[in-house]
Structures are given as structure tokens and as C-alpha cells.
Amino acid sequence: MVKNTWPDSSGYYGKYGGKFVPETLMSALSELESAYAEALADAEFQQQFNQLCKDYIGRPTPLYYAVQLTAKSGGATILLKREDLAHTGAHKINNALGQGLLAKRMGKTRIIAETGAGQHGVAVATVCAMLGLECIVYMGEEDIKRQAPNVTRMELTGAEVRPVTSGSKTLKDAINEAIRDWVSNVRTTHYLLGSVVGPHPYPMIVRDFQSIIGRESKEQVLAVYKRLPDYLVACVGGGSNSIGLFHPFYDDKDVKFIGVEAGGEGLESGKHSATLATGKAGVLHGTKSYLMEDEHGQIKETHSIAPGLDYPGVGPEHSFYKDSGRATYVTVDDKQALEGFRLLCDTEGIIPALESAHAIYYAAKMAKGLGQEILIIVNLSGRGDKDLDIVTKALGMGK
Amino acid sequence: MSRIDDIFQPGYKALIAFVTAGYPNYKATAKIAVALAECGCDIIELGIPFSDPLADGATIQKASYQALQQGITPEACLKIAADIRKKIKTPLIFMTYYNPVLNYGLKDFCKSCVKAGINGLIVPDLPPEEGLELETITRKSKLDLIYLLAPTSTENRINIVASSSRGFIYLVSLAGVTGTRNELSPELQSFVKRVREKTTLPLCVGFGISTVEHAKQAAALADGVIIGSRLIQLIEEDAKLISIKSFVTSIRQALDTQKNTGGY
């Protein structure tokens, strides 16, 4: 069992977390917290979730020894946790399924969600189709342009995609709109938040549903290598795939956690999404955590080639891990992420999501110079079909 | 007694006006505030523009955005407030999201507020559970920290807010964001009644109050009404402020005919 008992009863991870929301939502958050606690204690709910993880999502996803990538990197052994093979092509489905079942249990008929890369939106739309729930997805206009295939997928599975035109027209603004919708329709609607951000209990619920990634990885690595890994590497936007991988290893102190943030066009350019590397504590979207703000406390616009990392905040548990030193956070810029993307395509015949390509790049780089007995697990959080347009443009392929 | 407490006299219906500081521009806000006071507003709420105003509908979002585009910072809002304070005695409240306050530093912010002549604070994303630190500081600084209640608030939450709010309680008339509406929420009456049973604090109703008729109906139940988005629209429509003045005057008259109803 994991001894990490965060969050505390007020929803805090150390000094991060909490519930900074309009009064209208406070009762809904309490209701969600109680419903979740009941679901956790309900064997039937757990059984239903586990069964669907297996039959619908296709879990467990493999832990794949990337032989060629390891050879090419020339050092430590690289294992890929293949979340890209989960139904809908990313880890996002784990949480969407869990919360979808929870919403149904709570008697909610309408689901709203935000999406950046579209992976969460697709996962929610998919689960809603399967569970017979109405689904509305808020997506920044900029992201709708960048991730067109995912918009089509959402629409095909019956979701209404609402373009968000405020602010930077990306993930941050989509969350603002989703919260406004929730405030207005809170009695009938469940807000199916897609990352470990937002007010308590969201960071906890999303983490718990995503922790299946880490639990499986632990079992799988122990089964083959009879030992725990030395490093876990995952990209961090809001931070759900990374917390999902890290959390079950929290008390295994010899396992080092490395979170990879988006360096965009470089930290010095100011155009990046490296919240933990460059930000400071503040309150955004209902939670106290690191965030990127200007000197007056206004939230900054961010940039990343990977829309799923293009967010000025980060989950409160990551802020807690950073301050306590449990995890190390590094940055990989757009160009390096593209290199990581190419590298995985070339060596393993796997097209990664641009988000995951950040983690791939860093893992390959750090593997070099380490002995082969060193085990690195990289979370390949999603597949890259959605990114072909961005990548072909960036690499100057096709016309 | 704070300056805000003084406004609420038995039978009197308070008129609270919200405007975004720095909208449509830095210089306009003081002029607007003076006009609002002259037309019978009892309290003026100044919104500090924020990049991510998630409790606000389209009108105030747009006003905030426009103010930010012109470089309006919390510092600038404090200057605007100080300028208004020199001209009128009307109680002033800052409506601000929590992050700019946190960034400024809670103590420093409250100190600057007092210096600028601000009498109270409304922070829509700061429920009492998270507000303890700011509550302690505002008490010491003699600023009223005004909490909100919504129709979705449970009995337990009404008790928490009733025991922590100072000056008055801000009743959000409906489950929703700020913005004009065609009708008042049908659940307002039962909501006000539920809160009234638990507190003797004055109750002011805001969100969606857009017409003289709305104001009248809300004032029949509560001790004051708060109007925001409609005022912003009127400022946008008529920069000479003739429309806003005549609107506020007619609201004032309507409220004065409501005297001695309600419960306070």
C-alpha cells in the first residue's frame, strides 16, 4: 500500500491544493467528495471499473523494452509504458472512465469537459457515448485548429465541441469556460476535469484513477526484472500521466521521479509552459499551486508545440513533490521534443504524442552515460496521430 | 461600525454599483464613480481586472480584458480608488480574484487598500474555508471581508458564511456567472428566506439584476441590490454617462418606494 496519505482533509498537499472556487460550486465539490468516497468503498463500483479497464480500455497496457531506443541512446535500459495503446490512444481514458462511472452513480445526466490536445475530450466523448451521457467539450479555438482530427473524433462519438475564443484560446481558457458552465448548470452536470488540477477533490480523484499506470508498471517491472526501476520519466502539463506513474512509487525512495515540462521556444524567450521551473505559488482554477504569472498576478500566456502541455498551472501534488525534492522537474523545448518524436519513430516504429515526445527526448538523453543495468520507465502517455499536421509543418515535410 | 455598516438602516434599501476599474479607461472610472454616488448609489464596488475571471459572464470579461489591455494593474486600481476617495465619501469595495491579492501580498494589499480609502473586499474565488488568513488581516485593518452565498449553499455553509462575513452578505441570485438576465430567479425568495433565518447581517442580492423591475423585486426581499453588468453595458453604449445616470436614478427611486419591506 502507498503510504502517501496526501491530500489532507482540506484537500492540501503540504501547502498546495485547496478549494478556491465561487460559493456556487462549494456544495457540488462536497457532494463529489462524498460520492467518490462511497464509490471507493463499494466493491461493485471497483469491479465495474476494473472490468471496463480490461475489456473497454484494453488494460493492462504493456511495459515494452525499447531495444532499439536503448541501443541508440547507448546506456540505461529504457522501458516504455504503452498508454498510447489504451483505447482512444492516450492515458486520458483511465480518468474519463472512472469519473464517467462516478457521474452516472451520482445521477448526473450531463457531462462537461475541457480539452487542450483533444485527448481528454476524445476520451470523455467516448465514455459518454458508451454510458449514454450528454457531452459538451470546451476547446480553445487555437487548439481546434491544431488538433483537428480529435475534433472530428469527438463529434463522431456524439459530443458537442464548443470553441473558446477568450484569452489565449487554449487549455487555460477552455477550463475557464467549463467552470462557468458548471457554475450555471451545477445541479445536473458533472464537470469531468481531465488533469490533476482544479479544486479538491479533483487532483485526488484524477490521480487515483490514473494511478493504475504506476501500479501496473510496478507489477510488470517486478515480474521481469525482479526489481524496482531507478527512474520514472513523464511529461508534465497539468500533470496527470506523470502523477499516475509516480504516485504508486511514492514510498519507494530509491525510485527517482523526473517530470519533463515544456520549454517551448526556450526559457529565455518567455514562450514556454515550464510552470514548475519558472513559476511561483499562486491560485488558478481553484487550486493553490505553482503557476506562471506576471508581476501583477495576471496569468501569463504560455506556449508549447504540444497542446496538452500548453498550460500555465500544474497539479498541486507536483508542487508539493518539487518543494520536498521527491521529484525533479526538467524542461525540454519544442525542437528537442521534435527530435524525441523522430527518434521514437525511427528506432521503434512508434509515433508518440508530442507531449510524450518531451519525456522520450529526456529519457534518451539521460540514458546515455548510464549503465545498462539502470532501468528507466518512460510513460508513453499517448500516440501521435493527432500531431501529424503540426509535425509535418515543423519538419518541413509534405506540402 | 464600519462605513459599510452605516449604510444599512432599518427599512432602507441599499444600492450597490459595480464597475470595472479602468474601464473604459483609467480616467473614466473616477468620473463614473462620482456620477454613481450623485445618482444615489450607497456603495461602489470597483472590480480589479483579472486575466481569468471565471465567475464572470461575457460583459465583465470583456471589460476586464479591455482594462488589462490598457495596462490597468492592482496598483493602478488603488490609485483610482484614492482619487475617488478624495472626491466622495461613499463606501468603496474592491472586487478582486484572489491571485492578484496573493501576488501583491495579503498584508501589503490590505495596507494599501486602507490608505486608498477602500472599506471592504469581495473575493469571489475565496470561500471562508480558504479565507482565514485574509480574514484575520482584514479584521485588523478594519476592512470588511464580504463573503458570498448562492442558492446551492447548504444550511451548514450558510452558517459558516453568516459567522464570517462582515458588512453584509452577498447573495448570488442564481446558479451562474455575472451578466444580465431577462428574469429574476424564481428561487430567490426561498433562498433569501433560508439565509434570513440564520443571520441578522444585511443581505444584498447581485448577479442578473438588470432592470428597475428586477431591483424592485429583489429589494422587496433583501436589504440591498448589486448591479454590475448592466452598468458596464450602459457605459459602453453612452460614454457621456447620460444613460447610466438616468438608469441609476430610476433604480434609486424604485428602491425608495420599497422602504420598510423585507426583514432587516
Side-chain angles (χ1 to χ4, degrees):
Chain A
M1 271 310 285
V2 173
K3 276 180 271 166
N4 173 350
T5 54
W6 304 101
D8 64 19
S9 59
S10 309
Y12 274 82
Y13 306 78
K15 59 180 186 176
Y16 302 106
K19 295 179 185 178
F20 296 84
V21 294
E23 173 63 28
T24 309
L25 296 179
M26 287 300 283
S27 302
L29 291 174
S30 303
E31 185 197 351
L32 179 60
E33 205 177 334
S34 319
Y36 179 63
E38 281 166 27
L40 270 185
D42 179 356
E44 205 176 311
F45 179 87
Q46 295 301 324
Q47 154 69 15
Q48 190 187 13
F49 177 67
N50 291 334
Q51 194 68 41
L52 285 168
C53 275
K54 182 167 168 274
D55 299 337
Y56 191 70
I57 300 181
R59 304 205 71 89
T61 58
L63 184 69
Y64 167 67
Y65 170 32
V67 188
Q68 303 307 320
L69 178 63
T70 297
K72 180 93 182 217
S73 308
T77 299
I78 300 174
L79 307 171
L80 301 177
K81 181 59 176 165
R82 297 291 307 275
E83 291 300 298
D84 61 317
L85 293 178
H87 179 40
T88 68
H91 74 289
K92 292 290 186 190
I93 190 83
N94 304 327
N95 168 58
L97 175 64
Q99 280 195 52
L101 292 171
L102 189 59
K104 190 117 185 170
R105 195 187 151 92
M106 290 168 74
K108 304 285 182 185
T109 53
R110 182 174 176 269
I111 300 289
I112 54 169
E114 82 295 340
T115 198
Q119 289 302 107
H120 175 58
V122 168
V124 174
T126 300
V127 166
C128 286
M130 193 252 296
L131 296 175
L133 296 164
E134 184 189 350
C135 179
I136 288 137
V137 179
Y138 290 93
M139 187 170 188
E141 209 172 41
E142 186 61 31
D143 289 335
I144 287 180
K145 276 186 226 153
R146 295 197 277 182
Q147 308 272 256
N150 275 343
V151 176
T152 309
R153 292 168 78 198
M154 285 184 262
E155 286 170 350
L156 280 174
T157 44
E160 179 192 339
V161 180
R162 291 194 184 160
V164 176
T165 55
S166 56
S168 53
K169 303 177 178 66
T170 58
L171 181 55
K172 164 180 86 88
D173 311 286
I175 296 181
N176 288 338
E177 266 327 294
I179 292 176
R180 289 183 189 117
D181 181 316
W182 200 32
V183 169
S184 309
N185 301 288
V186 62
R187 290 181 174 110
T188 57
T189 300
H190 175 68
Y191 178 20
L192 209 164
L193 189 47
S195 193
V196 287
V197 300
H200 178 67
Y202 281 106
M204 172 181 78
I205 293 178
V206 179
R207 173 198 72 193
D208 289 355
F209 285 131
Q210 292 296 0
S211 288
I212 196 164
I213 303 171
R215 287 199 307 273
E216 283 177 10
S217 300
K218 196 184 237 184
E219 248 176 60
Q220 290 164 323
V221 73
L222 284 173
V224 177
Y225 297 89
K226 318 289 178 212
R227 52 169 293 225
L228 290 171
D230 299 282
Y231 294 95
L232 304 177
V233 181
C235 63
V236 181
S240 71
N241 89 80
S242 42
I243 279 290
L245 177 64
F246 296 169
H247 186 258
F249 292 90
Y250 184 82
D251 291 310
D252 302 310
K253 296 297 180 197
D254 293 333
V255 180
K256 297 176 190 70
F257 301 168
I258 298 176
V260 185
E261 292 192 300
E265 293 175 15
L267 296 190
E268 61 293 336
S269 74
K271 291 182 175 176
H272 58 81
S273 310
T275 308
L276 288 159
T278 65
K280 62 176 228 184
V283 167
L284 174 66
H285 294 149
T287 191
K288 188 183 275 186
S289 193
Y290 276 79
L291 54 80
M292 291 171 59
E293 61 181 358
D294 69 12
E295 70 266 41
H296 306 294
Q298 306 294 345
I299 308 305
K300 272 192 193 168
E301 295 201 355
T302 52
H303 166 79
S304 170
I305 193 167
L309 304 182
D310 204 345
Y311 182 63
V314 68
E317 193 163 354
H318 281 293
S319 295
F320 173 65
Y321 285 7
K322 177 186 158 88
D323 285 5
S324 67
R326 182 64 189 90
T328 306
Y329 295 90
V330 299
T331 55
V332 159
D333 68 25
D334 287 352
K335 273 190 187 152
Q336 294 168 325
L338 280 167
E339 260 181 65
F341 182 96
R342 286 301 293 263
L343 180 65
L344 197 66
C345 294
D346 289 345
T347 54
E348 299 290 347
I350 298 172
I351 300 176
L354 278 170
E355 290 78 13
S356 322
H358 285 72
I360 297 290
Y361 175 87
Y362 192 82
K365 196 181 91 176
M366 71 174 281
K368 194 175 181 171
L370 293 174
Q372 208 179 346
E373 72 287 0
I374 300 293
L375 294 179
I376 302 175
I377 296 181
V378 185
N379 198 6
L380 183 51
S381 54
R383 68 175 187 229
D385 309 43
K386 69 185 178 68
D387 295 317
L388 299 186
D389 200 32
I390 301 176
V391 171
T392 47
K393 267 185 205 142
L395 297 177
M397 298 160 71
K399 284 290 161 206
Chain B
M1 292 265 275
S2 72
R3 211 190 272 247
I4 294 172
D5 290 331
D6 295 342
I7 298 297
F8 297 95
Q9 302 300 329
Y12 183 74
K13 303 298 177 183
L15 174 53
I16 303 174
F18 169 94
V19 288
T20 301
Y23 175 82
N25 55 61
Y26 181 89
K27 281 188 180 160
T29 306
K31 270 185 216 153
I32 293 166
V34 171
L36 290 168
E38 279 170 359
C39 296
C41 287
D42 299 297
I43 298 173
I44 295 170
E45 218 188 295
L46 294 172
I48 298 181
F50 181 52
S51 53
D52 295 80
L54 49 77
D56 284 305
T59 304
I60 297 177
Q61 278 179 52
K62 201 172 124 192
S64 300
Y65 180 77
Q66 213 166 310
L68 286 174
Q69 289 299 99
Q70 297 181 65
I72 302 293
T73 61
E75 204 68 61
C77 295
L78 284 159
K79 280 188 191 141
I80 291 172
D83 190 23
I84 297 172
R85 178 50 76 229
K86 276 182 220 147
K87 296 183 165 87
I88 54 173
K89 291 196 158 54
T90 312
L92 297 175
I93 295 173
F94 266 150
M95 187 332 280
T96 174
Y97 288 87
Y98 194 42
N99 197 56
V101 179
L102 208 54
N103 173 281
Y104 199 105
L106 302 188
K107 274 189 192 158
D108 288 347
F109 183 74
C110 290
K111 216 167 133 186
S112 301
C113 281
V114 171
K115 212 173 143 198
I118 290 288
N119 306 97
L121 298 178
I122 297 172
V123 188
D125 57 349
L126 190 74
E129 287 88 335
E130 304 290 355
L132 290 179
E133 200 183 347
L134 188 60
E135 223 177 291
T136 311
I137 298 167
T138 47
R139 271 183 202 278
K140 279 187 195 150
S141 330
K142 303 217 171 355
L143 285 167
D144 286 333
L145 181 58
I146 296 145
Y147 284 120
L148 299 91
L149 279 170
T152 52
S153 302
T154 56
E155 306 307 304
N156 180 40
R157 297 204 54 76
I158 295 175
N159 285 328
I160 294 171
V161 166
S163 65
S164 349
S165 195
R166 297 197 305 282
F168 61 91
I169 299 177
Y170 191 133
L171 301 187
V172 176
S173 77
L174 43 78
V177 293
T178 60
T180 56
R181 305 288 199 285
N182 291 329
E183 279 165 20
L184 277 194
S185 161
E187 62 185 338
L188 183 61
Q189 188 168 2
S190 60
F191 171 42
V192 176
K193 189 162 165 273
R194 281 201 298 135
V195 181
R196 191 77 83 185
E197 279 166 8
K198 296 191 183 297
T199 182
T200 54
L201 276 171
L203 307 179
C204 297
V205 176
F207 282 43
I209 311 276
S210 350
T211 65
V212 172
E213 197 47 41
H214 292 166
K216 245 175 158 169
Q217 288 167 11
L221 305 166
D223 309 304
V225 296
I226 306 163
I227 307 180
S229 296
R230 184 64 195 136
L231 299 184
I232 301 280
Q233 288 173 351
L234 289 170
I235 293 167
E236 187 183 7
E237 285 165 20
D238 171 16
K240 288 185 181 146
L241 308 181
I242 296 164
S243 311
I244 193 174
K245 282 183 192 167
S246 94
F247 177 71
V248 172
T249 305
S250 57
I251 300 265
R252 177 74 270 163
Q253 284 166 357
L255 294 186
D256 288 342
T257 64
Q258 290 288 331
K259 275 187 182 176
N260 299 318
T261 60
Y264 182 68

